[in-house]
Amino acid sequence: MGRVYNFSAGPAVLPEEVLKEAQADLIDYKGCGMSVMEMSHRSKMFDDIIKEAEADIRELMGIPNNYKVLFLQGGGSLQFSMVPMNLSMTRNGVADYIVTGNWAKKAYQEASRFIKANKIASSEDKTFTYIPDCSDLEVSDDADYVYICENNTIYGTTYNELPNTKGKLLVSDQSSMFLSRPVDVSKYGLIFGGAQKNIGPAGVCIVIVREDLIPEEDVKNIPNMLQYKTHADANSLFNTPPCWGIYMCGLVFKWLKKMGGLEVMNQRNIEKAKILYDYLDQSDMFTGTVVAKDRSLMNVPFVTKAGDKDLEAKFIAESKEAGMENLKGHRTVGGMRASIYNAMPKAGVEKLVDFMAEFEKKNK
Ligand SMILES: *Cc1c(COP(=O)(O)O)cnc(C)c1O
């Protein structure tokens, strides 16, 4: 069987070129006689890999020098606790959360275990189908930060404008949009993302944090492994890092640079998403589930207009037969979802839309 078009939300499609490069390196990485999975994280070989990966992501995102880039483990989910522990427990112990989906809600609930977390806006009233107006929120005076999930993987919404935090730090979960478009890092106190959505394999979480926010002193009631300081001081080599994952992320960074960088990726992503949204907007059978102005370019949930579960099941089964995998929607939304990350080629989206049009004709 050849490669399928994989619309999974994560772990998700990786560029075929990158997989081939990893395959070529697998047995004998650059003549060192072993694979990256087998080498010491203290070796010169690996040191070059992690340093180059960091340099490349800095270049791609234009990360200012006063920000640290950390390669951590524990997925995006561990940041739900590390963020309040490191940025708030050591300060006022208060933070504001904008809840726009499951992941933001989980982050809010987790933070509530350690600090006073305030939910200052939410779109739960309409099943997270929109981004609330964040231009004039009641930001708490003593909030250590304002937290957002910038692209909502499950519900398919994204912020086209950052919230007005009234001078407070902004913390953003960018897991499902990381490196999909340029961002101005200097507008954030901290950005994090699990790699397995848009960057690399599962097992790495990238944290970009402004240096002055990392508590300087060792914080006694935070485990060593959960302190940013521990990892920042050791350049992500405090203990064994997810070596293979970092190597794969590094290959993806090189691929992104070769593609022309994040502005080019953004244009490609806009073009790809437009093909799908344009089709959905004129379809008699299918419809997108979110408010048009807040549509994600990465995750596109859609349903049948009639809410016909049998027809949706048939669609998912037949799309699989046609070589398109993982189009089933998240269990909380139902219907379908096409995740069309950086590595999804335009041809994949075109094939999906052709298939949908054909399916619509046949099942009128
Ligand atoms: C997938 C996802 C997470 C959780 O990531 P894990 O690595 O599984 O912990 C967090 N936030 C967002 C936006 C996600 O899409």
Side-chain angles (χ1 to χ4, degrees):
M1 187 181 187
R3 297 266 297 165
V4 295
Y5 285 120
N6 178 11
F7 293 92
S8 170
V13 58
L14 288 167
E16 201 167 317
E17 246 179 273
V18 164
L19 293 174
K20 285 192 174 137
E21 204 178 335
Q23 184 181 41
D25 281 350
L26 191 63
I27 302 289
D28 175 8
Y29 178 76
K30 294 193 174 160
C32 76
M34 63 180 90
S35 77
V36 177
M37 276 181 270
E38 301 164 293
M39 63 178 61
S40 165
H41 59 295
R42 307 280 173 212
S43 64
K44 166 85 172 69
M45 273 293 176
F46 187 73
D47 199 51
D48 288 346
I49 290 172
I50 193 168
K51 284 211 175 101
E52 226 169 285
E54 180 176 338
D56 285 337
I57 191 176
R58 282 186 177 280
E59 183 183 329
L60 281 165
M61 292 181 77
I63 301 173
N65 285 335
N66 62 329
Y67 283 73
K68 286 274 186 194
V69 177
L70 308 176
F71 296 96
L72 306 180
Q73 301 190 61
S77 299
L78 189 57
Q79 294 312 308
F80 298 168
S81 15
M82 281 180 79
V83 165
M85 280 180 170
N86 286 271
L87 302 194
S88 185
M89 238 167 73
T90 54
R91 297 189 173 86
N92 296 339
V94 179
D96 288 351
Y97 280 72
I98 300 175
V99 176
T100 52
N102 272 27
W103 296 117
K105 194 173 177 179
K106 283 190 171 149
Y108 162 69
Q109 287 166 339
E110 184 66 13
S112 304
R113 295 157 55 93
F114 309 106
I115 60 166
K116 181 166 184 289
N118 303 309
K119 194 197 289 182
I120 58 165
S122 166
S123 51
E124 194 162 14
D125 59 336
K126 293 189 181 147
T127 3
F128 300 121
T129 50
Y130 69 102
I131 298 290
D133 177 1
C134 298
S135 58
D136 188 19
L137 296 172
E138 289 200 23
V139 177
S140 312
D141 285 341
D142 52 354
D144 292 313
Y145 58 82
V146 174
Y147 181 102
I148 60 170
C149 175
E150 204 165 332
N151 185 80
N152 295 284
T153 325
I154 295 174
Y155 295 94
T157 56
T158 204
Y159 285 79
N160 287 308
E161 217 175 298
L162 291 177
N164 175 2
T165 64
K166 314 224 165 132
K168 303 293 180 193
L169 288 176
L170 181 63
V171 170
S172 176
D173 175 357
Q174 292 197 345
S175 293
S176 51
M177 57 164 278
F178 221 138
L179 302 178
S180 68
R181 54 170 141 113
V183 296
D184 181 351
V185 176
S186 69
K187 290 193 171 140
Y188 302 81
L190 185 147
I191 296 171
F192 72 87
Q196 75 275 20
K197 305 284 162 63
N198 204 22
I199 303 185
V204 191
C205 178
I206 298 174
V207 174
I208 300 167
V209 54
R210 220 175 68 202
E211 253 165 17
D212 61 292
L213 302 176
I214 301 173
E216 273 174 40
E217 297 298 319
D218 175 43
V219 188
K220 286 286 174 272
N221 56 349
I222 304 179
N224 214 8
M225 278 292 288
L226 301 188
Q227 297 193 33
Y228 291 134
K229 180 180 163 51
T230 305
H231 300 286
D233 287 353
N235 294 316
S236 304
L237 290 167
F238 170 72
N239 70 326
T240 318
C243 301
W244 172 258
I246 293 168
Y247 155 74
M248 288 296 292
C249 289
L251 292 186
V252 172
F253 299 157
K254 295 238 179 282
W255 177 75
L256 288 169
K257 278 171 62 175
K258 204 172 103 189
M259 295 293 285
L262 301 193
E263 195 48 71
V264 173
M265 292 317 291
N266 189 35
Q267 288 312 317
R268 280 169 55 101
N269 289 328
I270 290 171
E271 199 185 324
K272 270 171 5 192
K274 186 173 187 308
I275 297 169
L276 185 46
Y277 284 123
D278 281 352
Y279 169 74
L280 287 170
D281 285 344
Q282 60 74 55
S283 168
D284 292 323
M285 178 180 278
F286 300 103
T287 179
T289 54
V290 312
V291 170
K293 72 172 181 43
D294 300 327
R295 284 169 167 173
S296 167
L297 299 184
M298 298 281 99
N299 311 98
V300 184
F302 57 95
V303 293
T304 53
K305 283 187 171 168
D308 184 337
K309 301 278 173 278
D310 293 338
L311 193 61
E312 290 172 356
K314 186 172 182 219
F315 176 85
I316 292 157
E318 289 184 7
S319 63
K320 193 176 166 78
E321 273 167 39
M324 287 167 286
E325 292 274 347
N326 293 314
L327 281 163
K328 195 170 174 3
H330 190 269
R331 59 186 190 281
T332 60
V333 183
M336 285 70 66
R337 172 178 50 172
S339 294
I340 49 175
Y341 297 120
N342 280 342
M344 171 59 64
K346 185 175 160 194
V349 182
E350 285 169 343
K351 177 165 172 171
L352 172 62
V353 166
D354 288 347
F355 176 80
M356 289 170 80
E358 192 69 20
F359 184 89
E360 184 169 347
K361 222 187 287 166
K362 277 198 268 183
N363 294 276
K364 257 202 180 112

